[in-house]
Coordinates of all heavy atoms in Angstrom, one line a residue:
Q1 N 0.9 -1.2 0.0 CA 0.0 0.0 0.0 C 0.9 1.2 0.0 O 1.7 1.4 0.9 CB -0.9 0.0 1.2 CG -1.8 1.2 1.3 CD -2.8 1.3 0.2 OE1 -3.5 0.3 -0.1 NE2 -3.0 2.5 -0.3
M2 N 0.7 2.1 -1.0 CA 1.6 3.2 -1.2 C 0.7 4.5 -1.1 O -0.2 4.7 -1.9 CB 2.3 3.2 -2.5 CG 3.1 1.9 -2.8 SD 4.1 1.9 -4.3 CE 2.8 2.0 -5.5
N3 N 1.0 5.3 -0.1 CA 0.3 6.5 0.2 C 1.2 7.7 0.0 O 2.4 7.6 0.1 CB -0.4 6.5 1.6 CG -1.4 5.4 1.8 OD1 -2.1 5.0 0.8 ND2 -1.5 4.9 3.0
S4 N 0.6 8.9 -0.1 CA 1.4 10.1 -0.3 C 2.5 10.0 -1.3 O 3.6 10.4 -1.0 CB 1.9 10.5 1.1 OG 0.9 10.7 2.1
L5 N 2.1 9.5 -2.4 CA 3.1 9.2 -3.5 C 3.7 10.5 -4.0 O 3.0 11.5 -4.1 CB 2.5 8.4 -4.6 CG 2.3 6.9 -4.3 CD1 1.3 6.3 -5.2 CD2 3.6 6.2 -4.4
Q6 N 5.0 10.5 -4.3 CA 5.7 11.6 -4.8 C 6.4 11.2 -6.1 O 6.6 10.1 -6.4 CB 6.8 12.0 -3.8 CG 6.2 12.4 -2.4 CD 5.2 13.6 -2.6 OE1 5.4 14.6 -3.3 NE2 4.1 13.5 -1.8
P7 N 6.7 12.2 -6.9 CA 7.4 11.9 -8.2 C 8.6 11.1 -8.1 O 8.9 10.2 -9.0 CB 7.7 13.3 -8.8 CG 6.7 14.2 -8.2 CD 6.4 13.7 -6.8
E8 N 9.3 11.2 -7.0 CA 10.5 10.3 -6.8 C 10.2 8.9 -6.6 O 11.1 8.0 -6.5 CB 11.4 10.9 -5.7 CG 10.7 11.1 -4.4 CD 10.2 12.6 -4.3 OE1 9.8 13.2 -5.3 OE2 10.2 13.1 -3.1
D9 N 8.9 8.6 -6.4 CA 8.5 7.2 -6.2 C 8.3 6.5 -7.6 O 8.1 5.3 -7.7 CB 7.2 7.1 -5.4 CG 7.4 7.5 -4.0 OD1 8.4 7.1 -3.4 OD2 6.5 8.3 -3.5
T10 N 8.4 7.2 -8.7 CA 8.3 6.7 -10.0 C 9.3 5.7 -10.3 O 10.5 5.8 -10.0 CB 8.3 7.8 -11.0 OG1 7.2 8.7 -10.8 CG2 8.3 7.3 -12.5
G11 N 8.9 4.6 -10.9 CA 9.8 3.5 -11.3 C 9.1 2.2 -11.6 O 7.8 2.2 -11.5
V12 N 9.8 1.2 -12.0 CA 9.3 -0.1 -12.2 C 9.4 -0.8 -10.8 O 10.5 -0.9 -10.2 CB 10.0 -0.9 -13.3 CG1 9.4 -2.3 -13.4 CG2 9.9 -0.2 -14.6
Y13 N 8.3 -1.3 -10.3 CA 8.3 -2.0 -9.1 C 8.2 -3.5 -9.3 O 7.4 -4.0 -10.0 CB 7.0 -1.6 -8.3 CG 7.2 -0.2 -7.6 CD1 7.3 0.9 -8.4 CD2 7.4 -0.1 -6.2 CE1 7.5 2.2 -7.8 CE2 7.6 1.1 -5.6 CZ 7.6 2.3 -6.4 OH 7.8 3.5 -5.8
Y14 N 9.1 -4.2 -8.7 CA 9.3 -5.7 -8.8 C 9.0 -6.3 -7.5 O 9.4 -5.9 -6.4 CB 10.7 -6.0 -9.2 CG 11.1 -5.5 -10.5 CD1 11.8 -4.3 -10.6 CD2 10.9 -6.2 -11.7 CE1 12.2 -3.8 -11.9 CE2 11.4 -5.7 -12.9 CZ 12.0 -4.5 -13.0 OH 12.4 -4.0 -14.2
C15 N 8.3 -7.5 -7.6 CA 8.1 -8.4 -6.4 C 9.2 -9.4 -6.5 O 9.5 -9.9 -7.6 CB 6.8 -9.0 -6.5 SG 6.4 -10.2 -5.2
A16 N 9.8 -9.7 -5.4 CA 10.9 -10.7 -5.4 C 10.8 -11.6 -4.1 O 10.3 -11.1 -3.1 CB 12.3 -10.0 -5.5
A17 N 11.4 -12.8 -4.2 CA 11.3 -13.7 -3.1 C 12.6 -14.5 -3.0 O 13.2 -14.7 -4.0 CB 10.1 -14.6 -3.2
V18 N 12.8 -15.0 -1.8 CA 13.9 -16.0 -1.6 C 13.4 -17.1 -0.7 O 12.7 -16.7 0.3 CB 15.2 -15.3 -1.1 CG1 14.9 -14.6 0.2 CG2 16.3 -16.4 -1.0
L19 N 13.6 -18.3 -1.0 CA 13.2 -19.4 -0.2 C 14.3 -19.8 0.8 O 15.5 -19.8 0.4 CB 12.8 -20.6 -1.0 CG 11.8 -20.4 -2.1 CD1 11.4 -21.7 -2.8 CD2 10.5 -19.8 -1.5
L20 N 14.0 -20.0 2.0 CA 15.0 -20.3 3.1 C 15.0 -21.8 3.4 O 13.9 -22.4 3.5 CB 14.8 -19.4 4.3 CG 14.7 -17.9 4.0 CD1 14.3 -17.1 5.2 CD2 16.0 -17.4 3.4
R21 N 16.1 -22.3 3.7 CA 16.2 -23.8 4.0 C 15.7 -24.1 5.5 O 15.4 -25.2 5.8 CB 17.6 -24.3 3.8 CG 18.0 -24.2 2.4 CD 19.5 -24.7 2.2 NE 19.9 -24.7 0.9 CZ 21.1 -25.1 0.4 NH1 22.0 -25.6 1.3 NH2 21.4 -25.0 -0.8
R22 N 15.8 -23.1 6.3 CA 15.4 -23.3 7.7 C 14.8 -22.0 8.2 O 14.9 -20.9 7.6 CB 16.6 -23.7 8.5 CG 17.7 -22.7 8.5 CD 18.9 -23.2 9.3 NE 20.0 -22.2 9.3 CZ 20.9 -22.1 8.4 NH1 20.8 -22.9 7.3 NH2 21.9 -21.2 8.5
R23 N 14.2 -22.1 9.4 CA 13.6 -20.9 10.1 C 14.7 -19.9 10.3 O 15.7 -20.2 11.0 CB 13.0 -21.4 11.4 CG 12.3 -20.3 12.1 CD 11.8 -20.8 13.5 NE 10.8 -21.9 13.3 CZ 9.5 -21.7 13.2 NH1 9.0 -20.5 13.3 NH2 8.7 -22.7 13.1
T24 N 14.6 -18.8 9.8 CA 15.6 -17.7 9.9 C 14.9 -16.4 10.3 O 13.9 -16.0 9.7 CB 16.3 -17.5 8.6 OG1 16.9 -18.7 8.1 CG2 17.4 -16.4 8.7
Y25 N 15.3 -15.8 11.4 CA 14.7 -14.6 11.9 C 15.3 -13.4 11.3 O 16.5 -13.4 10.8 CB 14.8 -14.6 13.4 CG 14.0 -15.7 14.0 CD1 14.6 -16.9 14.4 CD2 12.6 -15.6 14.2 CE1 13.9 -18.0 14.9 CE2 11.9 -16.7 14.8 CZ 12.5 -17.8 15.1 OH 11.8 -18.9 15.6
G26 N 14.5 -12.3 11.3 CA 15.0 -11.1 10.8 C 14.8 -10.9 9.3 O 14.2 -11.8 8.7
I27 N 15.1 -9.8 8.8 CA 14.8 -9.5 7.4 C 16.0 -8.7 6.7 O 16.6 -7.9 7.4 CB 13.5 -8.7 7.3 CG1 13.1 -8.5 5.8 CG2 13.6 -7.3 8.0 CD1 12.6 -9.8 5.2
T28 N 16.2 -9.0 5.5 CA 17.1 -8.2 4.7 C 16.3 -7.9 3.4 O 15.4 -8.6 3.0 CB 18.4 -8.9 4.3 OG1 18.1 -10.1 3.5 CG2 19.2 -9.3 5.5
C29 N 16.7 -6.8 2.8 CA 15.9 -6.3 1.6 C 16.9 -5.8 0.6 O 16.7 -4.7 0.1 CB 14.9 -5.3 2.1 SG 13.5 -5.0 0.9
R30 N 17.9 -6.5 0.2 CA 18.8 -6.1 -0.8 C 18.6 -7.1 -2.0 O 18.5 -8.3 -1.9 CB 20.2 -6.2 -0.3 CG 20.5 -5.3 0.9 CD 21.9 -5.5 1.4 NE 22.9 -5.2 0.4 CZ 24.1 -5.6 0.4 NH1 24.6 -6.3 1.4 NH2 25.0 -5.2 -0.6
P31 N 18.6 -6.5 -3.2 CA 18.3 -7.3 -4.4 C 19.2 -8.6 -4.6 O 18.7 -9.6 -5.0 CB 18.6 -6.3 -5.6 CG 18.3 -5.0 -5.0 CD 18.7 -5.1 -3.5
P32 N 20.5 -8.5 -4.3 CA 21.3 -9.8 -4.4 C 20.8 -10.9 -3.6 O 21.1 -12.1 -3.9 CB 22.7 -9.3 -4.1 CG 22.7 -7.9 -4.3 CD 21.4 -7.4 -3.9
G33 N 20.1 -10.6 -2.5 CA 19.6 -11.7 -1.6 C 18.3 -12.3 -2.0 O 17.8 -13.2 -1.3
Y34 N 17.8 -12.0 -3.2 CA 16.5 -12.5 -3.6 C 16.7 -13.2 -4.9 O 17.2 -12.7 -5.9 CB 15.5 -11.3 -3.7 CG 15.0 -10.9 -2.4 CD1 15.9 -10.2 -1.5 CD2 13.8 -11.2 -1.9 CE1 15.5 -9.8 -0.2 CE2 13.3 -10.9 -0.6 CZ 14.2 -10.2 0.2 OH 13.8 -9.8 1.5
A35 N 16.1 -14.4 -5.0 CA 16.4 -15.3 -6.2 C 15.3 -15.3 -7.2 O 15.6 -15.6 -8.4 CB 16.6 -16.7 -5.7
Y36 N 14.1 -15.0 -6.8 CA 13.0 -15.1 -7.8 C 12.4 -13.7 -7.9 O 12.1 -13.0 -7.0 CB 11.9 -16.0 -7.3 CG 12.5 -17.4 -7.0 CD1 12.9 -17.8 -5.8 CD2 12.7 -18.3 -8.1 CE1 13.4 -19.1 -5.5 CE2 13.2 -19.6 -7.9 CZ 13.6 -20.0 -6.6 OH 14.1 -21.2 -6.4
W37 N 12.1 -13.3 -9.2 CA 11.6 -12.0 -9.5 C 10.4 -12.1 -10.4 O 10.3 -12.9 -11.3 CB 12.7 -11.2 -10.2 CG 13.9 -10.9 -9.3 CD1 14.9 -11.8 -9.0 CD2 14.1 -9.7 -8.6 NE1 15.7 -11.1 -8.1 CE2 15.3 -9.9 -7.8 CE3 13.4 -8.5 -8.5 CZ2 15.8 -8.9 -7.0 CZ3 13.9 -7.5 -7.6 CH2 15.0 -7.7 -6.9
G38 N 9.5 -11.1 -10.2 CA 8.4 -10.9 -11.1 C 8.8 -10.1 -12.3 O 10.0 -9.7 -12.4
Q39 N 7.8 -9.8 -13.2 CA 8.2 -9.1 -14.4 C 8.1 -7.6 -14.2 O 8.6 -6.8 -15.1 CB 7.2 -9.5 -15.5 CG 5.8 -8.7 -15.4 CD 4.9 -9.2 -14.3 OE1 5.2 -10.2 -13.6 NE2 3.8 -8.5 -14.1
G40 N 7.6 -7.1 -13.1 CA 7.6 -5.7 -12.8 C 6.3 -5.0 -13.2 O 5.6 -5.5 -14.1
T41 N 6.0 -3.9 -12.5 CA 4.8 -3.1 -12.9 C 5.2 -1.6 -12.7 O 5.9 -1.3 -11.8 CB 3.6 -3.5 -12.0 OG1 2.5 -2.7 -12.4 CG2 3.9 -3.1 -10.5
Q42 N 4.8 -0.8 -13.7 CA 5.2 0.6 -13.8 C 4.4 1.4 -12.8 O 3.1 1.3 -12.9 CB 5.1 1.1 -15.2 CG 5.5 2.6 -15.3 CD 6.9 2.8 -15.1 OE1 7.8 2.1 -15.6 NE2 7.2 3.9 -14.4
V43 N 5.0 2.2 -12.1 CA 4.3 3.2 -11.2 C 4.9 4.6 -11.7 O 6.1 4.8 -11.6 CB 4.6 3.0 -9.7 CG1 4.1 4.2 -8.9 CG2 4.0 1.7 -9.3

């Protein structure tokens, strides 16, 4: 959910995921750490 959108939010938005082998706590959000990608949607 994206509110108060600004021109600098413009871009192609991709959904990405990575499957983990075991229960892992915490979160990272860097592109190299994600293996699967959608095709993207323009905003």
Side-chain angles (χ1 to χ4, degrees):
Q1 178 66 44
M2 305 186 295
N3 298 328
S4 301
L5 283 162
Q6 300 301 319
E8 52 265 33
D9 295 316
T10 295
V12 179
Y13 283 69
Y14 298 91
C15 179
V18 58
L19 306 183
L20 305 174
R21 295 181 180 180
R22 59 184 181 274
R23 184 186 298 270
T24 304
Y25 295 95
I27 187 69
T28 62
C29 200
R30 298 177 61 198
Y34 286 71
Y36 302 99
W37 293 82
Q39 81 286 352
T41 185
Q42 177 71 43
V43 172

